[in-house]
């Protein structure tokens, strides 16, 4: 048969096993030498070719089975289908009258592998069996993965009379395998990205910090302008690393109860000016949504990134629709990988050209972009995807290519776990950074020499007395000496067996009244359990002098806060 799901001239197929390549299955002594358990997989021999007598028990069984089966006749021009059982008709959606007399290639479509088709064609020409999987299309145009076996049928004289093909819809398995491979790839990329972003953030801390100090010590207008330009570039680099960490699901989140509708309304005005006059925003917000517990800043950044992508997908302009809805998952949804329960959906739909499947599949990879040079970093959807996953949700992409017959466009859906009750949250008041000073003793713990030197210079200039350590072990030795220490200021990610979390726990065991301020750009121990209310003071890197001054003073004035149980040490 010319293939199942399309075999024409021997079409569709691919992925051939060594057994399938074992030579031409003509009935002769060669077959007698094969193991009996495999011989029947190569070919079959019949005494009475013909399909006229369909009253036998064997025809009844074939019609009753749920395994789709067909026969093609290679003696006729173009190897047409001469028999298709009911299961095959159910699988493809075609009636028997629409199948008989046609070559199987009509089941192929735009995404069918040409290599698989060529392999099937060769198998038919060589009169050998083949087993493979191919993407075919049903009568309604929907694609499905077809696992097929094709084998030749000979008469008693050794002449080929039919090709037999059995089929199996393996779409669900293929989708699951593809999702698993994609998840593995994204996890590997995320680990690499997080490591690079961590190192890069330490460098940015040194660059931006020393630029800040230099700007305070020079007066020339030209030099000030040059330093300001350099500081701006360092700040853009810091934003880039935040996006990378969001993609890697290692960003430091500060979740709070949010009213999603209120956030969308507040952001719509900013978005309108960002998207330009050719793009209009339409809101479709479901009232009385349950609260969501999310990091507001990261959520706004994710929404803006998706909106910018929607704008770029509509160069001639159009409408972007932002909608919200309550969603209940009962655990039966395919490939959603979310536990059953109530969720809140945030959807952004554009009227653009849409994405082909191979682009949509890679859309959330960092630095993958179909835009021209200088028109984007390729991090927008990657950041949004990482943030949603870190928030125990899921980002879904549905895209339809625009055709002459219908509209196209892309819908990005962000699903977040619903909280209990409705959220009422006031907009956080803007606070002006004030350079707050002190004269207490601070134990500074930082493994990077450059970052430690910068932090020490900051603290010295603010009036504090500073003791410094290169790692947690050295810091514990200082704590055990018994001299006065008013605050522990430590990085979280440090090499060795004592990271910042373990150090903080042991320090408070040695000195129960010792306040602790931690700093990090990311830390798996802090985000592994998803978004929870913070129970410790954490200052994000890179930080400015005014931010450090404020957080040091606040930690000293507030005193001790409870520390969570530390996780495994992280080597960073």
């Amino acid at each position: 048969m010319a293939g199942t799901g399309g075999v024409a001239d021997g079409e569709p197929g691919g992925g051939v096993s060594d057994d399938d390549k074992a030579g031409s299955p003509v009935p002769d002594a060669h077959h007698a030498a094969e193991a009996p358990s495999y011989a029947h997989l190569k070919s079959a021999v019949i005494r009475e070719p013909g399909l006229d007598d369909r009253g036998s028990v064997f025809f009844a069984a074939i019609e009753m089975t749920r395994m789709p089966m067909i026969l093609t006749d290679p003696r006729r021009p173009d190897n047409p289908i001469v028999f298709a059982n009911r299961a095959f008709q159910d699988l493809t959606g075609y009636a028997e009258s629409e199948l008989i007399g046609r070559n199987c290639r009509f089941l192929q479509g735009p995404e069918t592998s040409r290599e698989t088709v060529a392999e099937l064609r060769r198998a038919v020409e060589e009169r050998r069996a083949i087993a493979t999987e191919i993407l075919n299309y049903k009568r309604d145009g929907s694609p499905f993965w077809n696992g097929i076996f094709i084998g030749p049928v000979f008469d008693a004289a050794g002449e080929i009379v039919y090709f037999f093909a059995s089929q199996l819809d393996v779409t669900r398995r293929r989708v699951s395998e593809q999702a698993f491979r994609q998840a593995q790839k994204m996890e590997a990329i995320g680990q690499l990205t997080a490591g690079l972003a961590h190192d890069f953030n330490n460098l940015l801390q040194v660059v931006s910090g020393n630029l800040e100090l230099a700007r305070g010590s020079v007066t020339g207008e030209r030099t000030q302008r040059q330093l300001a330009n350099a500081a701006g570039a360092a700040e853009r680099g810091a934003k880039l690393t935040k996006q990378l960490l969001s993609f890697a699901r290692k960003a430091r989140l500060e979740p709070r109860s949010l009213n999603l509708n209120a956030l969308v309304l507040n952001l719509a005005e900013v978005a309108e000016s960002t998207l330009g006059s050719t793009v209009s925003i339409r809101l479709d917000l479901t009232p009385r949504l349950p609260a969501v517990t999310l990091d507001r800043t990261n959520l706004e950044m994710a929404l803006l990134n998706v909106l910018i992508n929607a704008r770029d997908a509509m160069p001639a302009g159009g409408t972007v629709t932002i909608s919200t809805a309550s969603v209940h998952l009962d655990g039966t949804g395919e490939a959603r990988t979310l536990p059953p329960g109530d969720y809140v959906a945030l959807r952004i739909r554009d009227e653009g050209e849409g994405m082909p499947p191979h682009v949509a599949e890679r859309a959330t990879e960092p630095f993958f972009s179909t835009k021209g040079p200088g028109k984007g970093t390729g991090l927008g959807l990657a950041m949004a995807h990482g943030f949603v996953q870190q928030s125990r949700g899921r980002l879904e992409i549905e895209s339809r290519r625009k055709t002459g017959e219908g509209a196209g466009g892309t819908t990005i859906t962000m699903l977040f776990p619903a909280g209990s009750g409705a959220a009422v949250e006031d907009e956080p008041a803007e606070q002006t950074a004030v350079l707050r000073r002190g004269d207490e003793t601070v134990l500074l713990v930082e493994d990077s020499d450059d970052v430690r030197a910068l932090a020490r210079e900051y603290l010295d200039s603010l009036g504090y007395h500073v003791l410094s350590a290169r790692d947690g072990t050295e810091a514990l030795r200082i704590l055990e000496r018994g001299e006065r220490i008013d605050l522990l200021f430590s990085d979280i990610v440090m090499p060795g067996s004592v990271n910042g979390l373990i150090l903080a726990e042991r320090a408070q065991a040695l000195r129960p009244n010792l306040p602790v301020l931690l700093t990090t750009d990311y830390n798996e121990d802090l985000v592994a359990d998803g978004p929870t209310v913070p129970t410790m003071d954490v200052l994000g890197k890179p930080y400015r002098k005014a931010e450090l001054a404020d957080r040091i003073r606040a930690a000293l004035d507030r005193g001790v806060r409870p520390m969570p149980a530390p996780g495994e040490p992280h080597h960073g």
Side-chain angles (χ1 to χ4, degrees):
M1 121 143 201
T4 161
V7 169
D9 298 357
E11 297 170 4
V16 184
S17 69
D18 292 337
D19 287 334
D20 295 327
K21 297 177 180 178
S24 177
V26 177
D28 56 18
H30 171 73
H31 291 280
E34 291 184 343
S37 59
Y38 290 100
H40 73 283
L41 297 178
K42 299 301 181 183
S43 63
V45 178
I46 57 176
R47 293 192 303 273
E48 298 179 4
L51 301 172
D52 296 331
D53 182 11
R54 301 199 180 188
S56 69
V57 66
F58 298 105
F59 260 109
I62 288 174
E63 286 290 14
M64 291 293 291
T65 182
R66 285 191 275 179
M67 171 72 74
M69 300 177 183
I70 59 174
L71 286 173
T72 65
D73 188 347
R75 298 169 298 178
R76 300 184 187 181
D78 205 22
N79 193 19
I81 297 172
V82 293
F83 171 78
N85 72 348
R86 292 170 187 168
F88 185 82
Q89 297 169 43
D90 293 339
L91 172 67
T92 62
Y94 287 94
E96 184 179 28
S97 60
E98 298 174 301
L99 294 168
I100 301 303
R102 301 178 71 179
N103 183 282
C104 296
R105 71 170 67 90
F106 76 93
L107 294 174
Q108 299 168 22
E111 299 296 324
T112 302
S113 167
R114 295 299 100 190
E115 291 81 6
T116 304
V117 171
E119 182 63 36
L120 283 163
R121 182 181 295 116
R122 285 193 296 271
V124 170
E125 290 172 351
E126 296 167 10
R127 303 193 301 175
R128 60 179 171 86
I130 184 172
T132 189
E133 293 178 2
I134 188 166
L135 186 66
N136 285 157
Y137 291 79
K138 300 182 181 182
R139 193 180 192 280
D140 61 5
S142 59
F144 71 100
W145 279 100
N146 195 359
I148 60 174
F149 166 76
I150 304 169
V153 179
F154 299 92
D155 62 16
E159 297 296 325
I160 190 166
V161 289
Y162 299 114
F163 272 100
F164 166 81
S166 62
Q167 349 269 320
L168 186 64
D169 188 342
V170 296
T171 303
R172 180 171 295 183
R173 175 179 61 77
R174 292 284 299 220
V175 169
S176 297
E177 290 176 351
Q178 183 179 18
F180 179 70
R181 288 193 298 269
Q182 181 72 4
Q184 283 186 314
K185 179 174 71 172
M186 296 294 275
E187 184 66 25
I189 295 174
Q191 292 291 340
L192 175 62
T193 300
L196 291 174
H198 167 65
D199 292 340
F200 191 47
N201 247 351
N202 272 343
L203 296 175
L204 283 171
Q205 177 68 71
V206 176
V207 171
S208 60
N210 282 284
L211 285 171
E212 184 181 13
L213 294 173
R215 292 176 71 183
S217 60
V218 299
T219 56
E221 181 180 342
R222 181 180 178 187
T223 304
Q224 281 284 347
R225 185 172 64 251
Q226 292 170 336
L227 291 174
N229 290 339
E235 191 164 330
R236 289 193 295 275
K239 290 180 180 178
L240 181 66
T241 58
K242 286 181 180 178
Q243 288 184 306
L244 289 170
L245 289 169
S246 290
F247 159 73
R249 307 189 304 281
K250 301 188 190 306
R252 187 175 62 85
L253 301 182
E254 296 182 358
R256 64 187 68 187
S257 181
L258 295 176
N259 183 316
L260 194 57
N261 284 345
L263 183 142
V264 171
L265 286 169
N266 290 335
L267 196 63
E269 294 183 10
V270 177
E272 284 183 344
S273 60
T274 301
L275 301 184
S277 59
T278 62
V279 176
S280 60
I281 296 179
R282 176 178 176 268
L283 301 181
D284 182 11
L285 308 180
T286 299
R288 295 182 296 280
L289 280 179
V292 288
T293 302
L294 299 171
D295 182 290
R296 183 188 190 97
T297 301
N298 279 274
L299 176 58
E300 289 176 342
M301 186 185 302
L303 180 54
L304 278 174
N305 282 334
V306 174
L307 288 172
I308 289 170
N309 276 358
R311 176 201 65 189
D312 294 343
M314 302 184 299
T319 299
V320 177
T321 301
I322 306 175
S323 62
T324 58
S326 294
V327 176
H328 178 76
L329 300 183
D330 58 8
T332 60
E334 286 189 19
R336 270 193 155 156
T337 64
L338 290 176
D342 293 321
Y343 292 81
V344 175
L346 174 61
R347 294 188 177 93
I348 301 92
R349 185 175 71 250
D350 65 51
E351 300 174 335
E353 296 293 327
M355 293 182 282
H358 70 278
V359 172
E361 182 180 325
R362 301 187 59 196
T364 56
E365 293 182 15
F367 304 114
F368 176 79
S369 177
T370 57
K371 302 174 185 177
K375 294 184 178 180
T377 62
L379 283 173
L381 274 181
M383 174 266 162
H385 176 264
F387 162 69
V388 173
Q389 280 201 323
Q390 190 175 342
S391 301
R392 294 179 176 173
R394 176 177 173 82
L395 184 142
E396 299 176 341
I397 301 176
E398 181 182 351
S399 193
R400 182 189 297 271
R401 295 288 285 171
K402 182 177 288 187
T403 64
E405 303 166 0
T410 298
T411 299
I412 305 294
T413 300
M414 292 181 268
L415 287 170
F416 299 106
S420 57
V424 179
E425 186 203 80
D426 294 329
E427 183 73 18
E430 290 291 329
Q431 296 184 357
T432 304
V434 178
L435 211 59
R436 304 171 66 187
R437 305 174 64 85
D439 58 3
E440 291 90 342
T441 299
V442 176
L443 174 55
L444 167 65
V445 189
E446 170 63 61
D447 62 294
S448 168
D449 293 340
D450 292 334
V451 176
R452 188 173 63 256
L454 174 67
R456 180 167 195 137
E457 187 165 354
Y458 275 164
L459 292 169
D460 285 339
S461 67
L462 292 169
Y464 295 101
H465 176 59
V466 182
L467 302 175
S468 62
R470 297 175 184 272
D471 55 37
T473 302
E474 185 179 348
L476 287 174
R477 287 199 294 266
I478 295 174
L479 286 164
E480 291 168 352
R481 292 201 307 240
E483 59 189 291
R484 174 181 172 179
I485 296 174
D486 299 297
L487 174 76
L488 171 64
F489 176 45
S490 174
D491 190 12
I492 290 180
V493 182
M494 293 188 294
S497 60
V498 182
N499 66 10
L501 295 175
I502 295 175
L503 173 62
E505 182 190 38
R506 294 183 182 177
Q508 289 188 336
L510 290 169
R511 304 191 181 199
N513 296 319
L514 180 66
V516 176
L517 175 64
L518 300 176
T519 182
T520 187
D521 50 1
Y522 86 96
N523 183 68
E524 293 183 7
D525 295 322
L526 290 176
V527 303
D529 294 330
T532 57
V533 178
T535 57
M536 67 179 79
D537 285 337
V538 181
L539 174 62
K541 288 182 180 180
Y543 50 80
R544 296 181 179 179
K545 182 178 179 180
E547 293 172 317
L548 177 62
D550 182 68
R551 298 298 293 276
I552 288 282
R553 191 68 258 162
L556 284 165
D557 292 345
R558 183 167 50 247
V560 181
R561 298 188 68 184
M563 298 297 301
E568 292 299 319
H570 180 86
H571 304 278

